[in-house]
Amino acid sequence: MATFRFGRLRSLLLAMGAIFLISTFYLYWTPAPASVVPSTAFEVPLTERQIAFWKALKPILEKNSPNCPSPVARADAHAVHFDATSTDPRPDLTLLKDDDRKAMEEAHANYVRDIRISKKLRSPHTAGKRGLVSTAGNSYLPVFVSSLRMLRRTGSTLPVELYMKDATEYEKKICEDVLPDLGAKCLILSEIVGKNPIAHYQLKVFAILFSSFEEIIWMDADCFPLHKPEELLDAEPFKTNGLVTWPDFWASTASPAYFELSRQPTPPMSARQSSETGVFLVSKEIHLTTLLLAAYYNYYGPSHYFRLLSQGAPGEGDKETFLQAATALGEPFYAVSERVQALGHWKPDGQGLSGSAMAQVDPAEDYALISQDKRRVIDPSVAKAPRVFFIHAHYPKFNPAENLFGAKWETGPTLKADGSDGRAWTAPEDVVSRFGYDVERNYWEEIKWVSCDPKTEFRTWENKAEVCQRVESYWQNVFAEPHEDDPKFTDEVEQPQGS
């Protein structure tokens, strides 16, 4: 009996000792700080997340096809400049029979319902991650690299994901030897969606959806910032709205039939300009459903929605799909009100402006003015214009291997009356002065680097040495020494020099 009691006592003491040791360990043990543990330590690889997302989205897209013939164009909308005081009726230039409109309305409503209730649709992004997304391939790739170098000149450290349609656009030397040093990487959409065709103007929304970023700055390959763009993600109007778009020159031409089938009131023509989506900001946390509806508009864009959203107006394509998706869902957004400005040079003999680029303003400064009820789009005299923040150099594309020089482009660099090299962007003078520094000189410095650095060998360039020689000659003629016709700037901003 005594032996039994002693055994029980020994077991009890051993148990108490073990508890003491374990308690002491947990009392004094401190977990590794979060910064030491990689945030992706237990994360499924991005490619697997992207493929799973597409496998969930594609059946929903195909299940809810418009299920009717394409709308019929009766005429194309004219390019009418936006008028914030207009009382004109909305153009109605697209024939959509009642039965077809009802079929599209039902499909639209069912798609919205399905994306909202689906438990399999998990965005592949990493929470809290922010970056810049673009697409480029073939002749657009040299343009993108110049834009990327302009991004880095601002001091931006945002990671960049460059999406390409398929393996034919992938250039090993650029993607593996050049872009990583600039904080960018190439991704191929066909590795996610397979051979299912996604046309050029549909790439944008799918690149954004498949991106690993939660907060995204989208920039076309021929766009670049003048200032550090991540500042915009930390300020209004983005922080509250999660979607910021910039205007095009023109009035909105979305069809009344679109607003009917998407079950929303038809806005007056004075509500806002059409969109120019060479640049925009979007948060997936706030606007994943908006992006999914924009994907629907793009997936069925060529057959149905592009026509309904633009009615043949200039730039018809994906440009209206993002903002209109947000309005259809009743989601918040901010559409910059300040008019986009054409950049170029004055034609001889008073023939007007020859434009080759678009200047788009700081949305934070625009928002501040609107918050004070100062609408420059109605009365430009109410306040000083916001600073220029982005340039969209869209015509011609600044690819020095593709007839950028010479008489083919009246908007190109060889502009002087005597045929000698000159600047492309000298007017309007009040817009150029708002750059704050010599943006065009900086841009050409980066074009020179892209043209002449030994690592930048592009598949579409037949004679790199000849391209480099022409760019260096142009640089010496235009930028090497100050000229009396160089633009003047209102606010000098010190910019880092390119290498």
Side-chain angles (χ1 to χ4, degrees):
M1 192 72 166
T3 302
F4 173 74
R5 288 176 180 171
F6 176 75
R8 290 184 62 189
L9 178 62
R10 184 174 62 179
S11 299
L12 181 61
L13 290 171
L14 288 171
M16 290 177 65
I19 292 171
F20 174 78
L21 288 172
I22 293 170
S23 300
T24 302
F25 173 77
Y26 279 102
L27 181 63
Y28 291 99
W29 175 74
T30 303
S35 60
V36 175
V37 181
S39 61
T40 57
F42 305 104
E43 197 170 58
V44 175
L46 176 61
T47 303
E48 292 183 28
R49 284 179 279 146
Q50 292 169 328
I51 292 172
F53 180 72
W54 179 240
K55 284 183 177 179
L57 177 59
K58 184 180 178 183
I60 300 176
L61 285 167
E62 296 187 341
K63 171 189 172 186
N64 295 298
S65 68
N67 198 29
C68 66
S70 299
V72 176
R74 294 189 292 207
D76 286 342
H78 296 296
V80 177
H81 280 272
F82 174 71
D83 179 359
T85 62
S86 173
T87 58
D88 292 342
R90 180 166 291 277
D92 188 3
L93 305 171
T94 303
L95 177 63
L96 189 63
K97 297 178 181 178
D98 285 345
D99 289 346
D100 295 340
R101 182 191 58 76
K102 290 176 182 176
M104 288 189 70
E105 179 179 357
E106 182 178 358
H108 187 285
N110 290 341
Y111 177 79
V112 171
R113 179 203 63 207
D114 288 350
I115 59 175
R116 280 178 164 161
I117 66 174
S118 174
K119 295 181 179 178
K120 294 181 179 180
L121 267 177
R122 297 178 181 177
S123 174
H125 74 264
T126 299
K129 191 176 181 182
R130 53 173 51 170
L132 188 145
V133 181
S134 190
T135 57
N138 299 321
S139 64
Y140 285 86
L141 193 54
V143 178
F144 169 77
V145 178
S146 297
S147 297
L148 179 58
R149 300 250 327 161
M150 288 298 285
L151 171 74
R152 297 306 177 213
R153 286 186 81 113
T154 69
S156 174
T157 58
L158 285 171
V160 174
E161 291 180 354
L162 176 67
Y163 283 82
M164 297 171 165
K165 182 179 177 181
D166 53 38
T168 64
E169 294 187 338
Y170 185 87
E171 297 194 28
K172 182 179 175 67
K173 288 185 177 180
I174 301 300
C175 288
E176 298 180 18
D177 297 337
V178 176
L179 295 188
D181 290 341
L182 294 169
K185 66 177 180 179
C186 300
L187 299 98
I188 301 174
L189 279 169
S190 64
E191 293 182 354
I192 303 167
V193 302
K195 294 183 179 180
N196 185 47
I198 294 178
H200 174 68
Y201 291 108
Q202 299 167 295
L203 297 177
K204 186 176 298 185
V205 68
F206 289 103
I208 291 170
L209 280 169
F210 292 132
S211 167
S212 68
F213 307 134
E214 179 182 295
E215 293 184 341
I216 292 169
I217 297 175
W218 169 270
M219 285 199 328
D220 282 0
D222 54 359
C223 294
F224 60 84
L226 279 61
H227 310 284
K228 196 173 180 179
E230 48 261 58
E231 295 173 357
L232 303 179
L233 301 178
D234 294 319
E236 295 294 359
F238 180 75
K239 285 180 67 176
T240 297
N241 295 281
L243 176 63
V244 176
T245 66
W246 277 262
D248 205 339
F249 298 104
W250 319 115
S252 167
T253 55
S255 166
Y258 161 73
F259 294 102
E260 286 186 62
L261 72 86
S262 58
R263 299 176 181 174
Q264 54 178 314
T266 302
M269 293 296 287
S270 59
R272 69 185 69 88
Q273 300 102 310
S274 60
S275 297
E276 205 294 305
T277 51
V279 175
F280 64 96
L281 319 176
V282 66
S283 163
K284 288 184 183 176
E285 180 184 12
I286 299 174
H287 280 289
L288 180 59
T289 309
T290 296
L291 290 170
L292 290 169
L293 182 54
Y296 181 75
Y297 291 161
N298 278 271
Y299 199 74
Y300 295 107
S303 61
H304 290 78
Y305 279 96
F306 290 165
R307 174 68 203 183
L308 287 172
L309 290 172
S310 292
Q311 299 194 97
E316 181 174 282
D318 64 12
K319 65 196 295 288
E320 304 298 334
T321 61
F322 298 94
L323 188 147
Q324 296 296 359
T327 65
L329 296 167
E331 298 291 348
F333 64 90
Y334 184 82
V336 171
S337 68
E338 181 72 20
R339 295 180 186 274
V340 63
Q341 295 286 338
L343 290 174
H345 63 281
W346 297 119
K347 296 179 183 179
D349 303 323
Q351 298 178 48
L353 182 72
S354 177
S356 67
M358 303 164 74
Q360 296 166 317
V361 304
D362 185 336
E365 292 188 8
D366 183 76
Y367 175 81
L369 292 177
I370 296 300
S371 299
Q372 301 169 50
D373 199 27
K374 295 179 178 179
R375 299 191 64 199
R376 281 178 37 83
V377 71
I378 295 177
D379 181 4
S381 69
V382 297
K384 178 183 175 182
R387 64 177 176 171
V388 177
F389 205 100
F390 292 99
I391 288 179
H392 190 172
H394 62 97
Y395 180 83
K397 309 298 182 188
F398 277 61
N399 180 343
E402 293 208 340
N403 297 310
L404 178 58
F405 305 97
K408 178 178 179 181
W409 304 105
E410 64 167 9
T411 54
T414 52
L415 305 175
K416 291 186 177 180
D418 61 3
S420 63
D421 289 337
R423 287 175 176 258
W425 304 334
T426 59
E429 291 79 1
D430 63 324
V431 178
V432 175
S433 71
R434 284 158 46 205
F435 291 176
Y437 63 96
D438 196 340
V439 172
E440 186 173 1
R441 187 183 194 279
N442 285 11
Y443 190 36
W444 275 99
E445 192 167 52
E446 300 307 344
I447 292 171
K448 182 159 66 82
W449 182 92
V450 170
S451 301
C452 300
D453 189 275
K455 290 189 296 185
T456 54
E457 295 184 17
F458 298 99
R459 191 182 299 154
T460 56
W461 286 12
E462 294 182 3
N463 192 329
K464 178 181 169 68
E466 186 177 297
V467 172
C468 174
Q469 183 179 11
R470 181 64 183 95
V471 170
E472 285 191 326
S473 173
Y474 174 76
W475 173 268
Q476 289 297 322
N477 293 339
V478 178
F479 299 111
E481 300 293 337
H483 294 74
E484 62 180 20
D485 57 350
D486 286 348
K488 304 299 185 290
F489 306 104
T490 55
D491 298 301
E492 287 297 332
V493 178
E494 185 175 341
Q495 287 292 300
Q497 294 300 305
S499 56

